[in-house]
């Protein structure tokens, strides 16, 4: 694979991964809604009461991301209320069975996309170790990846990077965002534009 050092390729790779996460999130929510409707329509009250989901351990920070990804489909008051129910452990009280089922399905749907989130996180963390006074910030709730100046916290375009930074970003974009398998990386005369350290 040949690595080109154009920022348009990097932008395309980043947008592609973010679109996959967004599209698969929406598909997962739609599929989950159908599954839950079928499940509730076919189960009897006794079956629902037997399964109380008290063994489910809900990660609050993960649940916040999942709820934020729902966007305008749920208002902020309801999000806050759900997070409070989980934080106070009231979610395990009788009467919240359907909500626990829904939360469980939402988190399962999110976990199926974890590989894509890990690609973006790996790319972000690795690039940030090499960038000077700049950093990528991935917001998993909003499914956005932005580049910021550490000096004044302003958003930057990829074209504002130095030539060496562009090469680093291109390199890690290719390795983290596009590569599906392990590979060997050969760099010809890296000292010309990339710091050897």
């Amino acid at each position: 694979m040949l690595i080109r050092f154009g920022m348009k390729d990097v932008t395309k790779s980043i947008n592609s991964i973010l679109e996959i996460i967004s599209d698969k999130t929406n598909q997962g929510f739609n599929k989950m809604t159908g599954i839950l409707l079928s499940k509730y329509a076919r189960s009897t009250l006794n079956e629902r009461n037997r399964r109380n989901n008290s063994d489910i351990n809900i990660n609050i920070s993960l649940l916040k991301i999942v709820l934020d990804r729902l966007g305008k489909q749920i208002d902020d008051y309801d999000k806050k209320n759900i997070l409070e129910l989980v934080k106070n452990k009231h979610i395990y009280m009788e009467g919240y069975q359907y909500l626990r089922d829904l939360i469980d399905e939402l988190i399962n749907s999110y976990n199926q996309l974890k590989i894509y989130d890990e690609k973006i996180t790996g790319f972000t963390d690795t690039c940030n170790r090499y960038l000077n006074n700049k950093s990528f910030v991935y917001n998993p709730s909003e499914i956005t990846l932005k580049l910021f100046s550490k000096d004044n916290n302003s958003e930057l375009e990829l074209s504002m990077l130095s030539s060496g930074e562009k090469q680093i970003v291109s390199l890690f974009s290719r390795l983290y965002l596009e590569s599906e398998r392990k590979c060997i990386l050969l760099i010809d005369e890296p000292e010309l534009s990339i710091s050897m350290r």
Side-chain angles (χ1 to χ4, degrees):
M1 96 175 103
L2 177 63
I3 298 177
R4 293 180 178 83
F5 297 111
M7 293 298 96
K8 287 182 182 178
D9 293 336
V10 174
T11 301
K12 185 178 175 182
S13 295
I14 290 170
N15 289 341
S16 176
I17 291 286
L18 295 176
E19 284 174 23
I20 288 171
I21 293 171
S22 182
D23 291 347
K24 289 193 179 282
T25 296
N26 290 332
Q27 290 170 9
F29 292 154
N30 290 337
K31 182 179 177 184
M32 178 204 48
T33 301
I35 290 169
L36 287 175
L37 287 172
S38 295
K39 179 177 166 181
Y40 294 145
R42 295 177 186 170
S43 66
T44 66
L45 184 58
N46 290 337
E47 287 173 335
R48 283 183 237 147
N49 288 337
R50 262 200 313 268
R51 183 175 175 253
N52 67 6
N53 284 10
S54 60
D55 58 327
I56 294 173
N57 186 15
I58 301 169
N59 179 321
I60 293 178
S61 58
L62 181 62
L63 178 59
K64 183 177 182 334
I65 291 170
V66 169
L67 292 174
D68 286 341
R69 283 190 179 178
L70 287 171
K72 302 291 181 198
Q73 297 176 36
I74 182 172
D75 65 39
D76 290 337
Y77 174 81
D78 289 330
K79 286 180 195 176
K80 185 178 176 183
N81 191 29
I82 291 168
L83 291 169
E84 279 297 314
L85 286 170
V86 172
K87 182 179 176 184
N88 297 328
K89 306 278 189 212
H90 295 152
I91 194 71
Y92 301 108
M93 294 170 58
E94 193 173 329
Y96 289 113
Q97 174 63 39
Y98 293 119
L99 184 56
R100 284 194 307 269
D101 280 348
L102 183 57
I103 288 170
D104 187 38
E105 292 295 333
L106 284 168
I107 290 173
N108 285 339
S109 178
Y110 172 84
N111 285 332
Q112 291 175 4
L113 297 173
K114 203 171 189 177
I115 186 171
Y116 299 106
D117 279 288
E118 288 172 350
K119 283 183 175 205
I120 291 284
T121 303
F123 168 76
T124 300
D125 293 346
T126 304
C127 285
N128 287 344
R129 285 198 294 267
Y130 292 92
L131 296 174
N132 293 318
N133 294 322
K134 300 169 192 89
S135 66
F136 281 103
V137 176
Y138 175 51
N139 183 329
S141 296
E142 297 176 4
I143 314 175
T144 59
L145 179 65
K146 297 180 180 180
L147 179 64
F148 289 95
S149 165
K150 288 183 180 177
D151 293 332
N152 56 14
N153 203 33
S154 62
E155 189 174 347
L156 302 172
E157 296 293 325
L158 290 176
S159 60
M160 301 168 113
L161 294 171
S162 70
S163 63
E165 289 172 328
K166 286 178 183 176
Q167 291 189 28
I168 288 291
V169 168
S170 293
L171 177 70
F172 291 129
S173 164
R174 186 71 173 191
L175 293 173
Y176 281 94
L177 304 179
E178 296 176 37
S179 181
E180 294 294 328
R181 60 182 193 269
K182 291 184 180 180
C183 60
I184 295 173
L185 177 66
L186 304 174
I187 303 177
D188 184 31
E189 297 183 328
E191 70 279 358
L192 293 180
S193 58
I194 299 176
S195 162
M196 292 306 291
R197 183 178 61 81

